[in-house]
Amino acid sequence: MTAPGIRDGEDVEDRDVEEALALVRQDRDRTRQRDSAPGRADASPGDGAPVRADASHQDRIPDRDSTPHRGSAADRHVAPRSGHTPAHDGPGAPDRPADPGTSAQQSPSGTTQPQPPGAPQPPRATGFWARTAHSRAADSDRHHEATPWPEARDIATRAARGGVRRESAPLPLDAALGLTLAAPLTALTDLPSFDTSAMDGWAVAGPGPWRLRDEGVLAGHAARTPLDDGEAVGIATGARIPPDTTAVLRSEHGRVDDRGRLHATREPGHGQDIRPRGQECRSGDQLLPSGTLVTPAVLGLAAAAGYDALTAVPRPRVDVLVLGDELLTEGLPHDGLIRDALGPMLPPWLRSLGAEVTGVRRIGDDADALYEAITSSEADLVVTTGGTASGPVDHVHPTLRRIGAELLVDGVKVRPGHPMLLARTRQNQHLVGLPGNPLAAVSGLLTLAEPLLRTLAGRAPQEANALPLKEAVHGHPYDTRLVPVVLRGDRAVPLHYNGPAMLRGVAAADALAVVPPGGARPGQSAEILRLPWATEGVRGRFT
C-alpha cells in the first residue's frame, strides 16, 4: 500500500532529500540575511565557505588534506571581520537578529521582512541532521554536475580501452567456452579434408545398372581402389569417396536384383551427395574474426579446423565489496537490520557479463577496511555497493581521494541510481561504485559495469534495440529512467514495483526500458536493455 502523499513509483529517498535540502536552504538564507545586515562585512571565499568544484573529472576529488570532513560544513561559521563577534560557537545556535528587537525572515519574493519580537522562527537542522542535510546539499550540487546517461556508458567503454591488458594465452578448447577470441580463427586444413559421402548408399561410376563390389566403404577407412565405369560399392555417410566416383546413390533410391546388380529408382546427378574437399573452407581461410564469443558451436568448428587450443581474451577479474553495517546474510530482518540482496545477486550477474568473480567481501561501514580492500585488490574491476553519497558513513568518495584515484564519472543523470560512480584507481584497475538500493545498483551495473566489462572481455557492444511501450511511463523532469519491462510480441510492457529499493519488478523482467526525461507515451519507442536470462538458460549463463 502506498503511503499517503506518495505517488506510485515515487522515489521516497528523493522526497526525504528534498526535505533535508529545505532545511539547508533555510539555514543558508538566514546566513545570507545576517551577513548582508548593515555594518556586517561579506565573508571571503577563504573563510571556510564551501567551494564548488568545477566539472573537470580530475578536480571532482579534491586533495583529501584540504577537504573538510563530511558534516563539518554545518559546524563551522564564517570567520567574522574585526568588530563582529559570532553569536554562538556551536552548531544549531540561534541566528543573530538583524536589528535589536526584530528578526528578519526572507519572503518568497526574496526581500527581507522584519518580524516582531517573539515571532516563531523557521526550524533549523542541528547536530547529526545538520551534517546530513549539508551532505545532501553536496549531493544535490554533485547531481547538477552529473553525467548524462548515454555519455556515462560511453565513458565506461572508453575507460576500459586505456588500461594494460593481461596477455592472452592458448587455452584447451573446453576452457575457452564463454570467452572471446583474441585472434581470428583461421582454418588449419581444408574442410572437408577429402571428398566424403553425404549419405548412406552406394558410390557409383558412370551410368547404371552397376555391378556391386562385395566389400563396402565405412567412415574412417580409406577406399584406395578406383571404381570402373558401371561399378558400385556400398558407402556410409562420412566415408571417403573412392577415386573415379561420379555420384552417390542414396540407399532409398536404389534396389539390388537377384543377380547382384544395382538399379536406380531415381537417377543421381553428377556429383550428387558428394561433399568435395574444401567445400566449407580451404586451409588458411579466416573462419571467425577476433572478438567472437566462444560458443559450443565455435568449439566444434575450431576442432574440425584442426585446433587443440584457442587463444582467448582472459576473463576480467572482479572483486565485489558489500558495504553496510545493517546487512544480514541469513534469517529475517530484525532490529533495523535487513537482508543483503546484492551479495547473492551481483556475482552471477557479473559472470554473465564475462567476468571472473575473484572475491566477495562484506566489510561494513569501515573506512580503513574499505581502503585496505581496494588497495590490496589485484582485480581488474572493484565493484562496491552503497556508500557513494555523502552521508556520515559513506566512505567511497573519501577513500578514492585517499588513494589518489581519478574520478571519471561522479553521478549519472539516471533514476534510479544517480549516485553511481566510476573511477580509475590505477593504470590497470577501475572501480564502479553502485548505490546501495537494489534496483539502483542494477541501474549502475547496466550503466557503468556492463560496458566496461564488455570491453575488458573483448566482447562487441550490445546492439541497440528499441520497442514501442504498451503503456505510458512517467519520467523524471531532467533524468533518464530505467524501468523494468516484459517483452510481449513487439511491445514492451512496463512493470510495477520499480522503486530504487525494489527487486520485485526486475525479477520478473526481460529487459529494462530506457525512458527519456519527461516520460514516454503509449506506443512510443524506447531503447531496450535485454537482461541475460531473457534469451539464455539461467544456469548455463551465470556459472
Side-chain angles (χ1 to χ4, degrees), residues 249-262:
L249 179 66
R250 299 184 184 188
S251 56
E252 63 268 27
H253 295 162
R255 63 177 181 83
V256 180
D257 62 21
D258 295 340
R259 293 182 295 173
R261 293 176 65 83
L262 175 65

Side-chain angles (χ1 to χ4, degrees), residues 238-451:
R240 186 169 185 167
I241 294 291
D244 298 331
T245 298
T246 56
V248 169
L249 179 66
R250 299 184 184 188
S251 56
E252 63 268 27
H253 295 162
R255 63 177 181 83
V256 180
D257 62 21
D258 295 340
R259 293 182 295 173
R261 293 176 65 83
L262 175 65
H263 299 266
T265 58
R266 182 183 297 179
E267 290 292 334
H270 187 82
Q272 181 173 319
D273 291 324
I274 295 175
R275 292 189 62 210
R277 176 175 181 168
Q279 181 186 49
E280 187 169 1
C281 66
R282 290 290 184 181
S283 179
D285 287 353
Q286 179 176 306
L287 304 177
L288 294 171
S290 59
T292 299
L293 181 66
V294 178
T295 64
V298 170
L299 294 179
L301 176 61
Y307 284 86
D308 300 319
L310 289 175
T311 301
V313 178
R315 296 182 188 275
R317 299 161 299 183
V318 180
D319 281 345
V320 178
L321 307 180
V322 181
L323 314 182
D325 289 340
E326 74 279 14
L327 301 177
L328 295 169
T329 58
E330 60 183 11
L332 295 176
H334 62 86
D335 300 324
L337 303 176
I338 60 173
R339 281 295 298 270
D340 169 27
L342 299 181
M345 180 176 72
L346 291 180
W349 203 321
L350 290 164
R351 283 193 287 269
S352 79
L353 300 177
E356 174 190 355
V357 179
T358 50
V360 179
R361 295 180 59 182
R362 292 175 171 83
I363 58 178
D365 293 318
D366 187 323
D368 290 335
L370 178 61
Y371 173 82
E372 186 277 331
I374 296 174
T375 55
S376 64
S377 173
E378 296 297 328
D380 303 295
L381 173 64
V382 177
V383 174
T384 63
T385 69
T388 56
S390 301
V393 291
D394 291 336
H395 300 306
V396 175
H397 279 94
T399 301
L400 292 176
R401 289 193 289 267
R402 183 178 175 186
I403 65 178
E406 179 187 7
L407 198 56
L408 305 177
V409 174
D410 188 11
V412 177
K413 293 182 178 180
V414 66
R415 301 299 173 108
H418 61 88
M420 69 182 72
L421 62 85
L422 170 64
R424 181 179 288 114
T425 50
R426 62 183 77 146
Q427 186 180 16
N428 60 342
Q429 186 186 75
H430 291 82
L431 181 144
V432 169
L434 302 178
N437 278 326
L439 188 58
V442 169
S443 175
L445 194 66
L446 296 178
T447 301
L448 298 176
E450 189 265 353

